[in-house]
Amino acid sequence: MFCAKCGKVTFGNEELCEECKAAANSVEAVKASESDTNKTNVTMLSFGKALASIIMGFGVFIISNVLNSTGARMNLAAMICMLIIDVAVTVLAIVFGAKAIHTYSTFKSGTKKPLPAFILGIIGVILAGIATVIILVFLCVELPEIAAALQ
């Protein structure tokens, strides 16, 4: 017999030669793997980033409140360390929240969008923004008093 696809001579009653069988099997394997990736739960895309954003945003909110309430009683080295940590975590919370929000905005209208990640991303960015305002208030109000006390 001859191969139904390429016309080469086949052995026995087979419709496809060995090369065309191998190609067909690899195409089927690729299609199977693509269908597995399409089954991903769309509502959970970027959920980890959004969750990290809200946890970091809440943590930095708490740290900035502690810093603001005990600033004059802290030593200068501890205050500088807390400020550095606070700023770094705030930036990370904003970046992760923005990535979660961006993931939501990349989906076309009419498709199922990752709403939980979007909501948590917004909350994380808002918490980090509030913490940033608290840090700025601390820097404007408390730091000059501490600098005057050190002189």
Side-chain angles (χ1 to χ4, degrees), residues 20-67:
C20 292
K21 273 187 198 176
N25 288 340
S26 67
V27 168
E28 288 175 14
V30 168
K31 285 182 182 178
S33 68
E34 286 176 357
S35 68
D36 287 344
T37 57
N38 291 339
K39 292 179 184 176
T40 303
N41 189 352
V42 173
T43 59
M44 298 308 283
L45 284 176
S46 290
F47 186 77
K49 290 177 186 168
L51 189 61
S53 171
I54 198 167
I55 290 170
M56 286 187 289
F58 185 71
V60 88
F61 177 75
I62 297 297
I63 290 171
S64 62
N65 278 323
V66 168
L67 182 64

Coordinates of all heavy atoms in Angstrom, one line a residue, residues 20-67:
C20 N 5.0 9.8 8.8 CA 3.7 10.5 8.9 C 3.0 10.2 10.2 O 2.3 11.0 10.8 CB 2.8 10.3 7.7 SG 3.5 11.0 6.2
K21 N 3.2 8.9 10.6 CA 2.6 8.5 11.9 C 3.2 9.3 13.1 O 2.6 9.8 14.0 CB 2.8 7.0 12.2 CG 1.8 6.1 11.6 CD 2.1 4.7 12.1 CE 1.4 3.7 11.2 NZ 1.7 2.3 11.6
A22 N 4.6 9.4 13.0 CA 5.3 10.1 14.1 C 4.9 11.6 14.1 O 4.7 12.2 15.1 CB 6.8 10.0 13.9
A23 N 4.7 12.2 12.9 CA 4.3 13.6 12.8 C 2.9 13.8 13.4 O 2.6 14.7 14.1 CB 4.4 14.1 11.4
A24 N 2.0 12.8 13.0 CA 0.6 12.9 13.5 C 0.6 12.8 15.0 O -0.2 13.5 15.7 CB -0.2 11.9 12.8
N25 N 1.4 11.9 15.6 CA 1.4 11.7 17.0 C 1.9 12.9 17.7 O 1.4 13.3 18.8 CB 2.2 10.4 17.4 CG 1.5 9.2 17.0 OD1 0.3 9.1 16.9 ND2 2.3 8.1 16.9
S26 N 3.0 13.6 17.2 CA 3.5 14.8 17.8 C 2.5 15.9 17.8 O 2.4 16.7 18.7 CB 4.8 15.2 17.2 OG 4.6 15.6 15.9
V27 N 1.7 16.0 16.7 CA 0.7 17.1 16.6 C -0.4 16.8 17.6 O -0.9 17.8 18.2 CB 0.2 17.1 15.1 CG1 -1.1 18.0 15.1 CG2 1.2 17.7 14.2
E28 N -0.8 15.6 17.8 CA -1.8 15.2 18.8 C -1.3 15.5 20.2 O -2.1 16.0 21.0 CB -2.2 13.8 18.6 CG -3.0 13.5 17.4 CD -3.3 12.0 17.2 OE1 -3.1 11.2 18.2 OE2 -3.7 11.6 16.2
A29 N 0.0 15.3 20.4 CA 0.5 15.6 21.8 C 0.5 17.1 22.0 O 0.2 17.5 23.1 CB 1.9 15.0 21.9
V30 N 0.9 17.9 21.0 CA 0.9 19.3 21.2 C -0.6 19.8 21.4 O -0.8 20.7 22.3 CB 1.5 20.0 20.0 CG1 1.2 21.5 20.0 CG2 3.0 19.7 19.9
K31 N -1.5 19.3 20.7 CA -2.9 19.7 20.9 C -3.4 19.3 22.3 O -4.1 20.1 22.9 CB -3.8 19.1 19.8 CG -3.7 19.7 18.5 CD -4.6 19.1 17.5 CE -4.5 19.7 16.1 NZ -5.3 19.0 15.1
A32 N -3.0 18.2 22.8 CA -3.4 17.7 24.1 C -2.8 18.7 25.2 O -3.5 19.0 26.1 CB -3.0 16.3 24.4
S33 N -1.6 19.1 25.0 CA -1.0 19.9 26.0 C -1.6 21.3 26.0 O -1.7 22.0 27.0 CB 0.5 20.0 25.8 OG 0.9 20.7 24.6
E34 N -1.9 21.8 24.8 CA -2.6 23.1 24.6 C -4.0 23.1 25.3 O -4.4 24.0 25.9 CB -2.7 23.5 23.2 CG -1.4 24.0 22.6 CD -1.6 24.3 21.1 OE1 -2.7 24.1 20.5 OE2 -0.6 24.7 20.5
S35 N -4.7 22.0 25.2 CA -6.0 21.9 25.8 C -5.9 21.9 27.3 O -6.8 22.4 28.0 CB -6.8 20.7 25.3 OG -6.2 19.5 25.7
D36 N -4.8 21.3 27.8 CA -4.6 21.3 29.3 C -4.3 22.7 29.8 O -4.8 23.1 30.9 CB -3.4 20.4 29.7 CG -3.8 18.9 29.5 OD1 -5.0 18.6 29.4 OD2 -2.8 18.1 29.5
T37 N -3.5 23.5 29.0 CA -3.3 24.9 29.5 C -4.5 25.7 29.4 O -4.7 26.7 30.1 CB -2.1 25.5 28.7 OG1 -2.4 25.5 27.3 CG2 -0.8 24.7 29.0
N38 N -5.4 25.4 28.4 CA -6.6 26.2 28.3 C -7.6 25.9 29.4 O -8.5 26.7 29.6 CB -7.3 25.9 26.9 CG -6.5 26.5 25.8 OD1 -5.7 27.4 26.0 ND2 -6.7 26.0 24.6
K39 N -7.4 24.8 30.2 CA -8.3 24.5 31.3 C -7.9 25.2 32.6 O -8.5 25.0 33.6 CB -8.3 23.0 31.5 CG -8.9 22.2 30.4 CD -8.8 20.7 30.7 CE -9.4 19.9 29.5 NZ -9.2 18.5 29.7
T40 N -6.9 26.1 32.5 CA -6.5 26.8 33.7 C -7.6 27.7 34.2 O -8.3 28.3 33.4 CB -5.3 27.7 33.3 OG1 -4.2 27.0 32.8 CG2 -4.8 28.5 34.6
N41 N -7.8 27.7 35.5 CA -8.9 28.5 36.1 C -8.5 30.0 35.9 O -7.6 30.5 36.5 CB -9.0 28.2 37.6 CG -10.2 28.8 38.2 OD1 -10.9 29.6 37.5 ND2 -10.5 28.4 39.4
V42 N -9.2 30.6 35.0 CA -8.9 32.0 34.6 C -9.2 33.0 35.8 O -8.4 33.9 36.0 CB -9.8 32.5 33.4 CG1 -9.7 33.9 33.1 CG2 -9.5 31.6 32.2
T43 N -10.1 32.7 36.7 CA -10.4 33.6 37.8 C -9.3 33.6 38.8 O -9.2 34.5 39.6 CB -11.7 33.1 38.5 OG1 -11.5 31.8 39.0 CG2 -12.9 33.2 37.6
M44 N -8.3 32.7 38.7 CA -7.2 32.6 39.7 C -5.9 33.1 39.1 O -4.9 33.1 39.8 CB -7.1 31.2 40.2 CG -8.3 30.7 40.9 SD -8.9 31.8 42.2 CE -7.7 31.4 43.5
L45 N -5.9 33.6 37.9 CA -4.7 34.2 37.3 C -4.3 35.4 38.1 O -5.1 36.2 38.5 CB -4.9 34.6 35.9 CG -5.0 33.5 34.8 CD1 -5.3 34.1 33.5 CD2 -3.7 32.8 34.8
S46 N -3.0 35.5 38.4 CA -2.4 36.6 39.2 C -2.9 36.7 40.6 O -2.7 37.7 41.3 CB -2.5 37.9 38.5 OG -1.7 38.0 37.4
F47 N -3.6 35.7 41.1 CA -4.2 35.7 42.5 C -3.0 35.7 43.5 O -3.1 36.4 44.5 CB -5.1 34.5 42.7 CG -5.8 34.6 44.0 CD1 -6.9 35.4 44.2 CD2 -5.3 33.8 45.1 CE1 -7.5 35.5 45.4 CE2 -6.0 33.9 46.3 CZ -7.1 34.7 46.5
G48 N -2.0 35.0 43.2 CA -0.8 35.0 44.1 C -0.2 36.4 44.3 O 0.1 36.8 45.4
K49 N 0.0 37.1 43.1 CA 0.5 38.4 43.2 C -0.4 39.4 43.9 O 0.1 40.2 44.7 CB 0.8 38.9 41.8 CG 1.9 38.3 41.0 CD 2.0 38.8 39.6 CE 3.0 37.9 38.9 NZ 3.0 38.2 37.5
A50 N -1.7 39.2 43.7 CA -2.6 40.1 44.4 C -2.7 39.8 45.9 O -2.7 40.8 46.7 CB -4.0 39.9 43.8
L51 N -2.6 38.6 46.2 CA -2.6 38.2 47.6 C -1.3 38.7 48.3 O -1.4 39.3 49.4 CB -2.7 36.7 47.8 CG -2.9 36.2 49.2 CD1 -4.2 36.7 49.8 CD2 -3.0 34.7 49.2
A52 N -0.2 38.6 47.6 CA 1.1 39.1 48.2 C 1.0 40.6 48.3 O 1.4 41.2 49.3 CB 2.2 38.7 47.3
S53 N 0.3 41.3 47.4 CA 0.2 42.7 47.4 C -0.6 43.2 48.6 O -0.3 44.1 49.3 CB -0.5 43.2 46.1 OG -0.8 44.6 46.3
I54 N -1.7 42.5 48.9 CA -2.6 42.9 50.0 C -1.9 42.5 51.3 O -2.0 43.3 52.3 CB -4.0 42.2 49.9 CG1 -5.0 43.0 50.8 CG2 -4.0 40.8 50.3 CD1 -6.4 42.6 50.5
I55 N -1.2 41.4 51.4 CA -0.5 41.1 52.7 C 0.6 42.1 52.9 O 0.8 42.6 54.1 CB 0.1 39.7 52.6 CG1 -1.1 38.7 52.7 CG2 1.1 39.4 53.7 CD1 -0.7 37.2 52.4
M56 N 1.4 42.4 51.9 CA 2.5 43.4 52.1 C 1.9 44.8 52.3 O 2.4 45.6 53.2 CB 3.4 43.5 50.8 CG 4.3 42.3 50.7 SD 5.5 42.4 49.4 CE 4.4 42.2 48.0
G57 N 0.8 45.2 51.7 CA 0.1 46.4 51.9 C -0.3 46.6 53.3 O -0.2 47.6 54.0
F58 N -1.0 45.5 53.8 CA -1.4 45.5 55.2 C -0.3 45.6 56.2 O -0.3 46.3 57.2 CB -2.3 44.3 55.5 CG -2.9 44.3 56.8 CD1 -4.0 45.2 57.1 CD2 -2.5 43.5 57.8 CE1 -4.5 45.3 58.4 CE2 -3.1 43.5 59.1 CZ -4.1 44.4 59.4
G59 N 0.8 44.8 55.9 CA 1.9 44.8 56.8 C 2.6 46.2 56.8 O 3.0 46.7 57.9
V60 N 2.8 46.8 55.7 CA 3.4 48.1 55.6 C 2.5 49.2 56.3 O 3.0 50.1 56.9 CB 3.8 48.4 54.2 CG1 2.7 49.1 53.4 CG2 5.1 49.3 54.2
F61 N 1.2 49.0 56.2 CA 0.3 49.9 56.8 C 0.5 49.8 58.4 O 0.5 50.9 59.0 CB -1.2 49.5 56.5 CG -2.2 50.3 57.1 CD1 -2.5 51.6 56.7 CD2 -3.0 49.8 58.1 CE1 -3.5 52.4 57.3 CE2 -4.0 50.6 58.8 CZ -4.2 51.9 58.3
I62 N 0.6 48.6 58.9 CA 0.8 48.4 60.3 C 2.2 49.0 60.7 O 2.3 49.7 61.7 CB 0.7 46.9 60.7 CG1 -0.7 46.4 60.4 CG2 1.1 46.7 62.2 CD1 -1.8 47.0 61.2
I63 N 3.2 48.7 60.0 CA 4.6 49.2 60.3 C 4.6 50.7 60.3 O 5.2 51.3 61.2 CB 5.6 48.6 59.3 CG1 5.8 47.1 59.6 CG2 6.9 49.3 59.5 CD1 6.6 46.4 58.6
S64 N 4.0 51.3 59.3 CA 4.0 52.8 59.2 C 3.2 53.4 60.4 O 3.6 54.5 60.9 CB 3.5 53.3 57.9 OG 2.1 52.9 57.7
N65 N 2.2 52.8 60.8 CA 1.4 53.3 62.0 C 2.3 53.2 63.3 O 2.3 54.1 64.1 CB 0.1 52.6 62.2 CG -1.0 53.1 61.3 OD1 -1.0 54.4 61.0 ND2 -1.8 52.3 60.7
V66 N 3.0 52.0 63.4 CA 3.8 51.9 64.6 C 5.0 52.9 64.5 O 5.3 53.5 65.5 CB 4.4 50.4 64.6 CG1 5.5 50.3 65.6 CG2 3.3 49.4 64.9
L67 N 5.5 53.1 63.4 CA 6.6 54.1 63.2 C 6.1 55.5 63.5 O 6.8 56.2 64.2 CB 7.1 54.0 61.8 CG 8.3 54.9 61.4 CD1 9.5 54.5 62.2 CD2 8.6 54.8 59.9

